[in-house]
Amino acid sequence: MSDCIFCKICNGELNTEFLYEDEYVVVFKDIRPKADTHLLVTSRKHITSLKEINEVEDAKLMAHMLCLLPKLAAQLNIPGFRTIINTGAAGGQEIDHLHFHFLAGNLPKFG
Ligand code: AMP
Ligand code: ZN
């Protein structure tokens, strides 16, 4: 989508540094980090949110995004991490392009 900032980032239009990239995803630092490490694992495909996921078409992408998280942690020598997916404005989603938050270090207790 041409007016989507995360599409622009994924396409390299904003010269964002990628910590990881492959044919499905791009990983970059959150501009306003909420933890020592705060990365955004972002699909290259423009999907507005988890609500728009197609169970058949997007199954491989979703599995890939999820399975990438522990690999990222291992690569960064991070012993544990938190994953957040905000969905919809009422769920705190600001950017309408699917992304997983990967947070580690100095996390508030949750649950
Ligand atoms: P969400 O509320 O789940 O949609 O999360 C959007 C996240 O994107 C927020 O944590 C923002 O700080 C972050 N963000 C917004 N614009 C940028 C950008 N240009 N580069 C990196 N992170 C961004
Ligand atoms: Zn997009």
Side-chain angles (χ1 to χ4, degrees), residues 37 73-74 77-83 102-107:
T37 301
N77 224 6
I78 286 172
F81 58 89
R82 180 174 298 163
T83 307
F102 175 103
L103 300 134
N106 277 323
L107 296 176

Side-chain angles (χ1 to χ4, degrees), residues 38-79:
H38 187 172
L39 308 178
L40 299 175
V41 178
T42 305
S43 61
R44 283 194 185 274
K45 177 180 176 183
H46 181 89
I47 300 172
T48 305
S49 82
L50 215 46
K51 290 189 287 184
E52 282 74 29
I53 287 289
N54 180 294
E55 192 171 348
V56 176
E57 270 177 32
D58 300 318
K60 195 169 172 190
L61 167 66
M62 295 304 294
H64 184 69
M65 289 176 81
L66 212 50
C67 292
L68 180 60
L69 301 171
K71 292 181 193 166
L72 273 178
Q75 201 177 72
L76 299 169
N77 224 6
I78 286 172

Side-chain angles (χ1 to χ4, degrees), residues 1 4 6 26 63 67 75 81 87 98 108:
M1 247 175 67
C4 168
F6 278 14
V26 165
C67 292
Q75 201 177 72
F81 58 89
T87 303
L98 183 70

Side-chain angles (χ1 to χ4, degrees), residues 5-6 9 14 16 28-34 38 40 84-87 91-97 99 101:
I5 187 167
F6 278 14
I9 287 176
L14 302 185
T16 309
F28 52 92
K29 289 183 182 164
D30 195 294
I31 206 167
R32 291 187 299 272
K34 317 292 186 305
H38 187 172
L40 299 175
I84 295 174
I85 309 171
N86 295 322
T87 303
Q93 185 177 6
E94 288 172 24
I95 306 278
D96 290 334
H97 178 129
H99 55 281
H101 293 258

